[in-house]
Amino acid sequence: LAADLLDPPKVTIDDLYRKLPNLRVASPRQQAFIDADEWDVFYGGAMGGGKSIALLMISIISALTYGGIEVWYFRRTIPQLRGSSIDDLRKTFSMCRPLNAKWDDKFRQLTFPNGSMIRFLFAENEADGTDYYSQSCQLLVIDERSLMLPSIVDQLSLRVRSGNPSIPTLGIRSASNPGNIGHSVLKTKFVDPAPLGDVPIPIMGRDDNGAEV
């Protein structure tokens, strides 16, 4: 029991398949993205590649595995959230009702029986990013990252931390189509060092709050 508290058995995609009949089997690229354990993992590609579904799968698996974790799922605007991410949550994941989760439409958050929560948030400008300065999450998810100002991403990434030793920090997971305001930063950070997408990009290390050191 003590070992499970420190390192709980990880919920798998197969667990989701058994509960969510509308969820398709992950493609090899989706599976590789979900299995990655680096701090900041980016899934790039053309429209229709299943990136948003993969981000939702990561969010839900993390929430089910680690009791009490808070996941922030960001898009640039509320209409983008409702027209894409929350719509996928409804159609493909049945709002996670088969997983006994409860959806609060007013606050756009999904709460699980183990105390974990996925919050669906937006940040259209830097002022929106500062709204989260006194808060923290353990997994930051950004859908269509290239649509968001890189400075906002930097602001939000500082919020990935945990003051509870039993709740781990999992890092950042993001995805995007090519182009737009964040394209050059994402290309420099993720594509140029590993053009085939199969070489991890090392960092020096991270402190207890997830900051690079």
Side-chain angles (χ1 to χ4, degrees):
L1 177 59
D4 285 350
L5 289 174
L6 293 173
D7 189 15
K10 186 177 177 65
V11 174
T12 68
I13 294 181
D14 289 337
D15 296 322
L16 298 190
Y17 294 151
R18 285 191 286 270
K19 296 280 189 175
L20 304 170
N22 293 334
L23 184 61
R24 295 181 181 179
V25 175
S27 69
R29 289 197 68 191
Q30 286 176 317
Q31 187 69 60
F33 179 60
I34 291 165
D35 290 341
D37 59 4
E38 289 79 16
W39 179 261
D40 191 351
V41 185
F42 175 70
Y43 186 174
M47 188 179 300
K51 298 183 294 298
S52 296
I53 296 297
L55 289 174
L56 285 168
M57 284 195 282
I58 288 172
S59 300
I60 294 165
I61 288 171
S62 300
L64 291 171
T65 299
Y66 304 102
I69 199 171
E70 186 163 315
V71 180
W72 291 356
Y73 192 110
F74 269 88
R75 288 210 59 167
R76 183 168 176 262
T77 67
I78 291 178
Q80 290 172 0
L81 277 174
R82 292 204 175 277
S84 177
S85 309
I86 295 175
D87 192 51
D88 284 337
L89 182 66
R90 179 178 296 107
K91 293 178 179 177
T92 303
F93 297 88
S94 303
M95 305 306 279
C96 290
R97 285 188 296 269
L99 303 171
N100 297 316
K102 293 183 179 180
W103 172 252
D104 186 322
D105 194 60
K106 179 180 178 180
F107 294 102
R108 299 186 306 278
Q109 62 189 34
L110 196 62
T111 305
F112 293 81
N114 64 359
S116 295
M117 178 187 299
I118 303 174
R119 299 173 62 192
F120 290 81
L121 307 167
F122 75 98
E124 190 168 2
N125 52 53
E126 291 187 354
D128 293 331
T130 62
D131 288 344
Y132 305 97
Y133 268 12
S134 62
Q135 304 176 52
S136 63
C137 69
Q138 289 73 56
L139 176 62
L140 174 62
V141 176
I142 304 175
D143 200 348
E144 293 299 348
R145 183 167 169 175
S146 69
L147 297 180
M148 191 176 288
L149 286 168
S151 58
I152 298 176
V153 176
D154 291 340
Q155 289 178 7
L156 296 175
S157 67
L158 296 176
R159 303 297 96 206
V160 185
R161 56 186 183 173
S162 174
N164 187 335
S166 67
I167 300 179
T169 50
L170 303 182
I172 305 167
R173 299 293 180 272
S174 60
S176 191
N177 298 324
N180 225 289
I181 54 178
H183 178 91
S184 61
V185 170
L186 292 171
K187 183 175 182 296
T188 299
K189 183 171 184 177
F190 294 103
V191 179
D192 292 344
L196 299 180
D198 57 357
V199 179
I201 303 168
I203 58 176
M204 293 299 293
R206 292 192 177 272
D207 62 20
D208 292 339
N209 291 322
E212 293 184 19
V213 295

